[in-house]
Every structure is written in C-alpha cells, then in structure tokens.
C-alpha cells in the first residue's frame, strides 16, 4: 500500500501523464514490416503500439522484432520486409492500464516497461504513460515531500534475537 | 534538495544499482557497423556503450543510428554496414556519473535517459545504472515511507490574496 500523502504528491502531475493517442506513432497490424521499419526509425521510441482496424490496442512492435525477422540465419534478407506483416512479429503479451490511474500498479509495471499503453473500457487505444513522466513525478515527490511534511520515525516493534 | 529520510530509503537498494561493465554488452569505437548491429539485435538495450582501446567510455550507439546510416535516401544500402564504423555514427553527448552516487543527480538524469553510464575517476567504464533499478528503489520508497514514518503536514505560510 502507498500512503495518501505520497499518492497525492505522485499524482500531482497526473494531467500530463498521458501522451494521447494522436501524438503517439503507431502502426496497423496489417502493415508490411518495411512500413513499420520506416516509422520506427523516425520516432524516439524503440517499440510502438499496434492497432487493428477498429482502433483497438493489439500489441507492440520494436526495431529488434523487425531486424530479427530480417536475419535469415546469418544473412540479412530484405525480402522478409515485404513478405511479413506487423502482426506476424508483434508482441501481444502487453499489460495495459485504464483511467483513473492506479499509481501503485503504474509504478509496478514501470519497473519492466519503458511505457505503458492506456486503453479505454472498450480496449480502444487512448495513449501511453511513459517512464519519463513517471520519473518527473518521482522527482517532484522526493523534492517536495520533506518541504511539506515533517517525517517522524515510527517506533519499530523490537525483534527478538536468538 | 532531497531530505535525508527519502534519500536513505532511495539508496536502500544502492548495492544493486550498478550493472557492472562485464555484464553490459558494449562495442568498440573502431568496430564496423555490421558488428554493432549483430550485438544490438542480441541484447535487450536499444543503445549500448561504446569504449575505446583504453577501456574509456566514449559514447552510445543504438539500432536507430545504424538503421539511419543504412538508409541511402529511400533504399537500404547494406554496404554502409561494412564501410562505416561505430565512431562514425555514435552519440558522444552523454552524461555520466561516478560513485558514490548522487541520487538527486541520478533521478534528474533518469527523466531523459533509459540508463546512465558509470565511469571511474579516469573515465574508465564501470557499468550502468538503469531506470529499472531506479524505479525498483522508488517502489521501495513509496511502499515503505508511510510504514516507517509518520507524516505531519507543515503549516504553510499564509499567502496574501489581492
């Protein structure tokens, strides 16, 4: 459990958590890999969301997925770039979050994910929450906490030794 | 300024902050790009450190740097992979840190960098501190703080209105 004071300070920046869908580069599950390669080389994220025709979030794809697919044993085979499409190589095992944010769950997921996709109740893609924004909130928290609160150590129950 | 209680809790995990050099994939500044491409497709980081012959940290290189160099206007020219070497495309504008850690500076850098290279006083590469480890510490902090401390709101000086 995260206490209320910490939760409030972490969510201070909440309105800027979401990078909305229209600002996040994405590809469609039916796009050929060469299109995804072009998009991925132009954006700063190394994995981007994959949507289906209905606008639902269906997975993530990264440069390494594409480069791996290009490698035909030891040689690079650029034919794979047109023969395969995004849904053939994308990662579908991706945790998503919904609003209102559960900051405890977001902080937990952020340990393993550079960003977390946000979906609405119908699984339509709404945007992403990034480690960058989370770490901005953490900076705010740690710089503000002891300015706004006096911290008094609680008496710990004594532990028996031996 | 970060207060002492918060600093202590954040540095609780300090010993595991550093992923030491021998566990971090890296390339040499004189390696051809096809070698760097092979290394980058095999590791989970999208940028890796570049060292010179003396073991000094000289920059970072990522898949996107290499893929950009492969693009000859609109077509992929794989010849660039053998003609160019790592130092031709690496990023040399990289902030580094030294031990003992300044957690305030680390948290500040982590907003913009997925990991921060650690060097010794002679600029020899010692390893990296990752957002993952930092966020583990943050999780520890936020879950522990209000268990171990009682937080009392400080009286804020009243602000004159009008």
């Amino acid at each position: 459990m995260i206490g209320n004071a910490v939760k409030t300070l972490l969510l201070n920046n909440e309105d800027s958590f979401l990078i909305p869908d229209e600002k996040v580069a994405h590809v469609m599950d039916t796009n050929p890999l060469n299109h995804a390669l072009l998009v991925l080389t132009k954006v700063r994220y190394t994995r981007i969301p994959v949507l289906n025709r209905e606008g639902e979030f269906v997975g993530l794809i990264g440069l390494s997925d594409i480069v791996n697919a290009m490698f035909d044993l030891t040689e690079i085979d650029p034919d794979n770039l047109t023969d395969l499409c995004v849904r053939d190589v994308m990662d579908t095992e991706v945790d998503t979050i919904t609003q209102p944010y559960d900051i405890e769950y977001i902080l937990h997921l952020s340990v393993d994910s550079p960003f977390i996709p946000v979906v609405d109740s119908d699984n339509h893609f709404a945007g992403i929450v990034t480690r960058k924004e989370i770490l901005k909130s953490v900076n705010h928290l740690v710089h503000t906490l002891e300015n706004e609160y006096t911290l008094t150590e609680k008496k710990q129950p004594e532990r028996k030794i031996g």
Side-chain angles (χ1 to χ4, degrees), chain A:
Chain A
M1 278 290 293
I2 303 182
N4 283 332
V6 169
K7 207 173 268 182
T8 305
L9 286 173
L10 278 174
L11 287 171
N12 182 276
N13 187 31
E14 181 178 11
D15 289 345
S16 67
F17 269 15
L18 184 74
I19 299 180
D21 55 342
E22 69 266 19
K23 289 197 179 167
V24 180
H26 68 267
V27 289
M28 307 299 292
D29 56 353
T30 51
N31 287 152
L33 284 193
N34 58 1
H35 175 75
L37 179 65
L38 263 173
V39 175
L40 277 160
T41 54
K42 298 298 166 210
V43 299
R44 67 200 172 98
Y45 297 110
T46 47
R47 302 175 87 200
I48 54 176
V50 182
L51 309 188
N52 66 13
R53 191 190 297 208
E54 285 75 38
E56 290 167 333
F57 174 83
V58 291
L60 293 175
I61 187 167
L63 272 183
S64 60
D65 301 315
I66 298 177
V67 174
N68 277 329
M70 278 167 71
F71 273 105
D72 188 4
L73 293 177
T74 54
E75 294 207 332
I76 290 180
D77 182 358
D79 286 347
N80 289 345
L81 286 177
T82 44
D83 296 347
L84 293 173
C85 72
V86 168
R87 71 176 157 215
D88 297 323
V89 306
M90 69 182 182
D91 179 11
T92 56
E93 301 290 313
V94 183
D95 292 306
T96 58
I97 53 174
T98 52
Q99 286 179 296
Y101 299 124
D102 176 349
I103 190 67
E104 192 153 357
Y105 187 52
I106 290 181
L107 275 176
H108 169 71
L109 290 182
S110 73
V111 170
D112 287 315
S113 305
F115 64 84
I116 306 152
V118 182
V119 296
D120 69 14
S121 54
D122 293 326
N123 201 39
H124 287 108
F125 181 60
I128 58 174
V129 171
T130 64
R131 276 180 175 165
K132 185 187 180 79
E133 293 305 320
I134 296 167
L135 284 159
K136 276 188 199 169
S137 282
V138 169
N139 272 280
H140 173 76
L141 165 72
V142 298
H143 284 96
T144 312
L145 192 79
E146 288 176 71
N147 285 337
E148 297 195 357
Y149 293 87
T150 305
L151 274 62
T152 318
E153 210 164 342
K154 290 181 184 173
K155 233 184 172 159
Q156 299 295 320
E158 281 181 40
R159 288 189 197 138
K160 279 192 181 160
I161 298 170

